[in-house]
Amino acid sequence: MLDILVSQVANGLVLGFIYVLIAVGLSITFGLLGVINFAHGAFFALGAYFAWQMFQWFGWSAVIFAPPLVGLVGMLLEATIIRRLYGKEPLLSLIVTFALSLLIEAVIRFVWGADGKPFNPPVWTAGIFEIGPLLMTKYRVAVLGATIATLLGLWAFLAWTPYGRILRAGSRDPEMVELLGINLPRVLTAVFGLGCALAAIAGVLAAPLWTVSPSMSANAVMPAFVVVAIGGLGSFRGAVVAGLAIGIVTALTIQFRPEAATGAMYALMFIIMLLRPRGLFGERWERFE
Amino acid sequence: MTRIASDKRSMKIGMAGAAAAMTAIGLASAAMAQDAGPVRIGLIYSKQGPGASIGQFLQRGSELAAEQAGMKALGRPIELIWLDEPNPQGSQQNMQRLIDENKVVAVVGGNYSSSALAMMSVANRAKIPLILPGAAAREITGKDCSRYTFRTQATVPVQINGLMPYVAQLGKKAYFITPSYAFGQDIVKSARAGLPAINGTEIGSDEVPINTADYSSYILKIRQAKPDVVIGGLVGGDFSNFLKQWNEMGMKDRAPYAAVAVTDTDFWDVGPQASTGIFIKPWYYNNPKNSAAEKKMTEAFMKKHGQPPSDKTWSGWIAMRALLESIESAKSTNPQEIVTALEKWKNTEDAFPYYFREWDHQLVRPAVIVKVKPQITDKWDFMDVLKNTSDSAADTEKAFGTKEEVGCNMPAL
């Protein structure tokens, strides 16, 4: 029994890292822009479709261009639609981005059709690692590596670069940042693009595991919201902890009560919300309160 | 005093008479308008979510049947109105909308058992014929059967009974992985009942919530249990996700997979690399035993859409054909007359006739048993047809169960 539990926890951690990657872009978009982006899952799906298209045209190496392209789409949408939501009621951003998610899904269906696209892991990641009770596919190990590298890179960018400092300062006191002569609207456009590109990275990595279909966004967006709610809106550290916790809880629920697997993460969210309504690492932000 | 009372009574009778006459005139003109206008038929198939691809193929099949009928019924133009099958509640609301707002004469739709059960209650209340091209849970034509509901897909017990001889060839230790709703629970119930006959044993069973994206934890459990065969019934995008991860985790060659109610798009969506298993399907486009009408439908579909029809296309097509042919034979769009005609409808194009059984409204027709080819070389042709679930009319009727086994107590019209 211990063997399978260890194996499930390890598997849950990998799954959790995928959730973290999906959620972190959502968390950043809210934390820095104050926009609850319900279209985040649609950008995840768009990333998977761009990756599939790049793969069809140019092979595996071209897949890396999918996230920047989705980031550009995000920037375009920010400049035309999203920026009108800044400082408005959170409900408005929810409604507008929900409409945006439906629009993106409809566009995907129009361009690529309603049927799924066959997209399997690259041949060089075929096979399994088995160490004692642990069993992990090579592709999932690669996903784990790519996710950790992305998260570390993002953290370093936000914490150590001048641009990251502007982003963090802009999220707390936009007027002061503008008084310092920084073009804040352009910064905000880049932030939204970054959030979309992060969703797309998750989409690219998930595409060989999940069916690439227009509805794949639904599988991503709800766990992402649960992760952000548990971790605390806008908290990078919270997203990581909550994502891993959800991965492990889901895996262990599958072991003992498989029919309750989806409900387990909502039960966890319910408990956390009761004990700490702003989430595990959520801070009190004057701007939103 | 008496005179006044009598006048009032006469006035009341007169007003009631006038109101009745007005209502009769109104109904008659509405009926005349309906008789003269297009024949409106509702479709309820998924437009979004993991069933969207299935919904599209069902819709294309129904549309093709209407086109083959010249888009006319009783000499009047056919108007198809397609609404979504998002979930049981949404499907039920859409069913009501089709009846109240679109004034449809009948509805073809309902791929999921949970949605179908919800839609049936509306069809029954509004007395509108409903033909289900999917939805395999036994109660639909069993204990919950309705005079206004017909179903083309074989029930879960029929499909499982067809699958069990192949399960027996694969091994004794079976593991179930099924969706956690009526259809999945029916699979487990039917397969459990069939295991003793093949000296099989159940070594595990997992019910999976619908819209599950990651199956790795389920697959780890199955891998540890070391079954000889895995019996499943995951549907649509969920099944495609499972197949992909089953292959990714090296299980494709480790434990054979056998399932019911799959559809071709599940495999086309994941490609040859991840496809594996033995399955029961209502129909397969590249089956040499297909009738001339089915071959003609396949050709028309390929010409129109540039790819072969899936079994869901056939289901949508045959359901619409049965409805249109029944409207023609009833010479009416009156719901009761359509129901009576559907009860007498019979298709004689196959080796032996198939029909909706009068006492449970189940289409009595064999399904096909298929196996994924060891080497897939064609973009669409993934399956080898092994055989039909039954080879004669008598065996087919027997496979669908007796009145007592089915448990349908068909209400009056």
Side-chain angles (χ1 to χ4, degrees):
Chain A
M1 190 62 183
L2 189 65
D3 284 4
I4 186 74
L5 286 182
V6 171
S7 198
Q8 288 288 20
V9 169
N11 190 59
L13 280 173
V14 178
L15 181 63
F17 268 109
I18 296 175
Y19 287 152
V20 173
L21 193 53
I22 299 170
V24 79
L26 186 69
S27 188
I28 282 176
T29 310
F30 179 79
L32 301 181
L33 306 181
V35 170
I36 303 168
N37 183 14
F38 215 85
H40 194 70
F43 290 107
F44 167 88
L46 204 58
Y49 269 92
F50 278 13
W52 178 82
Q53 195 62 66
M54 290 289 160
F55 170 71
Q56 293 295 314
W57 284 343
F58 309 112
W60 267 108
S61 51
V63 163
I64 57 164
F65 293 109
L69 283 173
V70 174
L72 284 175
V73 173
M75 288 165 80
L76 187 70
L77 289 169
E78 193 278 343
T80 51
I81 299 170
I82 303 295
R83 80 172 35 170
R84 294 163 205 274
L85 305 172
Y86 298 152
K88 301 266 172 63
E89 280 284 307
L91 185 63
L92 190 66
S93 68
L94 259 181
I95 294 169
V96 171
T97 55
F98 180 65
L100 194 59
S101 75
L102 294 178
L103 176 72
I104 293 172
E105 192 180 322
V107 168
I108 289 174
R109 194 166 281 131
F110 179 75
V111 174
W112 287 285
D115 49 341
K117 302 293 172 202
F119 196 32
N120 291 295
V123 180
W124 50 270
T125 61
I128 292 167
F129 287 119
E130 252 183 303
I131 307 160
L134 290 181
L135 183 143
M136 216 171 282
T137 66
K138 286 182 183 170
Y139 183 72
R140 280 176 198 256
V141 173
V143 167
L144 189 64
T147 305
I148 291 172
T150 306
L151 293 173
L152 284 174
L154 183 66
W155 172 74
F157 168 76
L158 290 173
W160 302 105
T161 65
Y163 198 84
R165 277 195 283 273
I166 293 170
L167 292 185
R168 286 186 291 125
S171 69
R172 289 302 178 104
D173 198 339
E175 283 168 13
M176 182 57 78
V177 171
E178 279 202 295
L179 283 173
L180 291 171
I182 292 163
N183 186 344
L184 196 63
R186 200 177 295 168
V187 172
L188 299 182
T189 304
V191 168
F192 193 78
L194 176 68
C196 296
L198 286 167
I201 293 173
V204 171
L205 293 174
L209 298 173
W210 300 359
T211 308
V212 180
S213 69
S215 63
M216 70 186 295
S217 60
N219 288 329
V221 75
M222 285 320 291
F225 270 98
V226 174
V227 168
V228 172
I230 291 176
L233 282 167
S235 168
F236 185 88
R237 188 172 42 150
V240 175
V241 173
L244 297 183
I246 287 175
I248 293 170
V249 166
T250 305
L252 290 177
T253 311
I254 289 170
Q255 181 63 37
F256 297 108
R257 296 282 300 179
E259 66 279 10
T262 307
M265 66 176 172
Y266 296 108
L268 182 65
M269 180 173 76
F270 179 72
I271 293 166
I272 300 289
M273 292 293 101
L274 275 181
L275 298 174
R276 195 176 156 81
R278 71 176 68 141
L280 292 174
F281 297 92
E283 295 169 24
R284 186 172 178 275
W285 286 28
E286 309 78 25
R287 205 178 132 194
F288 304 122
E289 291 178 16
Chain B
M1 191 75 177
T2 316
R3 171 91 185 263
I4 294 169
S6 168
D7 283 353
K8 274 187 178 171
R9 197 164 51 242
S10 306
M11 215 161 98
K12 273 183 188 169
I13 292 167
M15 282 170 73
M22 293 290 281
T23 310
I25 292 166
L27 284 174
S29 19
M32 276 172 71
Q34 207 175 21
D35 282 349
V39 176
R40 293 195 183 91
I41 297 168
L43 303 176
I44 297 188
Y45 297 137
S46 294
K47 289 186 175 190
Q48 57 181 326
S53 179
I54 288 174
Q56 189 179 62
F57 276 88
L58 282 161
Q59 182 269 339
R60 285 175 174 176
S62 294
E63 188 183 61
L64 190 58
E67 285 171 2
Q68 287 181 328
M71 287 308 281
K72 281 196 185 302
L74 304 173
R76 291 156 52 193
I78 295 171
E79 194 180 305
L80 299 177
I81 302 134
W82 177 19
L83 297 186
D84 196 8
E85 187 188 353
N87 50 49
Q89 193 191 0
S91 308
Q92 194 176 39
Q93 286 166 351
N94 284 341
M95 181 84 188
Q96 193 72 54
R97 217 175 112 195
L98 283 171
I99 296 166
D100 293 343
E101 293 176 23
N102 302 106
K103 312 286 180 206
V104 296
V105 299
V107 175
V108 178
N111 183 57
Y112 296 96
S113 297
S114 49
S115 298
L117 285 162
M119 289 157 61
M120 281 170 68
S121 63
V122 180
N124 209 26
R125 197 168 56 237
K127 298 191 184 302
I128 289 288
L130 166 67
I131 306 183
L132 304 166
R138 73 174 84 188
E139 55 263 45
I140 289 169
T141 50
K143 70 177 175 61
D144 294 332
C145 68
S146 151
R147 196 66 190 253
Y148 287 87
T149 303
F150 296 78
R151 171 171 55 188
T152 66
Q153 188 169 22
T155 59
V156 168
V158 172
Q159 295 189 55
I160 287 288
N161 289 342
L163 193 68
M164 287 317 259
Y166 290 90
V167 170
Q169 288 172 22
L170 297 169
K172 305 286 182 205
K173 291 185 290 177
Y175 196 108
F176 301 122
I177 182 159
T178 52
S180 62
Y181 63 98
F183 165 67
Q185 287 151 2
D186 205 1
I187 291 174
V188 175
K189 190 177 167 187
S190 304
R192 273 182 187 149
L195 279 177
I198 60 165
N199 294 322
T201 51
E202 175 187 338
I203 61 163
S205 177
D206 286 342
E207 279 189 25
V208 185
I210 51 169
N211 291 346
T212 292
D214 197 277
Y215 285 86
S216 54
S217 295
Y218 294 98
I219 295 170
L220 279 176
K221 277 180 82 178
I222 296 172
R223 191 183 165 98
Q224 210 221 12
K226 296 188 177 70
D228 293 328
V229 55
V230 178
I231 299 174
L234 302 170
V235 176
D238 286 2
F239 179 48
S240 299
N241 283 337
F242 172 80
L243 275 181
K244 260 183 150 176
Q245 291 159 36
W246 187 250
N247 174 53
E248 185 230 346
M249 295 181 78
M251 295 298 288
K252 188 177 165 183
D253 303 315
R254 208 178 165 110
Y257 185 76
V260 299
V262 297
T263 182
D264 297 294
T265 48
D266 299 338
F267 303 94
W268 295 340
D269 286 359
V270 299
Q273 195 180 325
S275 295
T276 183
I278 293 179
F279 304 98
I280 304 275
K281 280 153 48 65
W283 183 80
Y284 188 58
Y285 83 94
N286 199 18
N287 183 354
K289 288 182 180 170
N290 284 348
S291 69
E294 288 167 344
K295 284 175 182 162
K296 196 176 161 193
M297 181 273 279
T298 302
E299 273 174 34
F301 189 92
M302 289 181 90
K303 197 175 167 190
K304 188 172 177 186
H305 299 289
Q307 68 176 102
S310 75
D311 53 283
K312 292 292 175 189
T313 309
W314 179 88
S315 299
W317 175 77
I318 199 68
M320 182 58 77
R321 263 193 74 187
L323 175 65
L324 295 179
E325 288 170 13
S326 298
I327 290 173
E328 292 293 346
S329 69
K331 295 186 174 53
S332 167
T333 54
N334 176 287
Q336 284 78 22
E337 288 174 41
I338 295 174
V339 166
T340 309
L342 277 164
E343 286 172 345
K344 290 176 186 153
W345 177 83
K346 189 176 269 190
N347 183 299
T348 53
E349 292 156 355
D350 270 5
F352 48 89
Y354 57 89
Y355 49 88
F356 290 111
R357 203 156 49 175
E358 201 172 344
W359 53 263
D360 67 350
H361 289 186
Q362 170 64 50
L363 189 76
V364 178
R365 177 185 171 277
V368 288
I369 305 167
V370 296
K371 186 179 182 182
V372 173
K373 290 173 187 285
Q375 292 295 323
I376 299 167
T377 51
D378 187 87
K379 193 180 174 188
W380 309 110
D381 189 11
F382 282 29
M383 306 288 178
D384 285 324
V385 176
L386 301 178
K387 69 188 283 288
N388 284 350
T389 49
S390 50
D391 296 317
S392 70
D395 283 350
T396 309
E397 180 77 35
K398 194 177 158 194
F400 278 84
T402 62
K403 228 170 182 174
E404 289 69 36
E405 286 165 347
V406 171
C408 167
N409 188 14
M410 186 61 78
L413 259 176

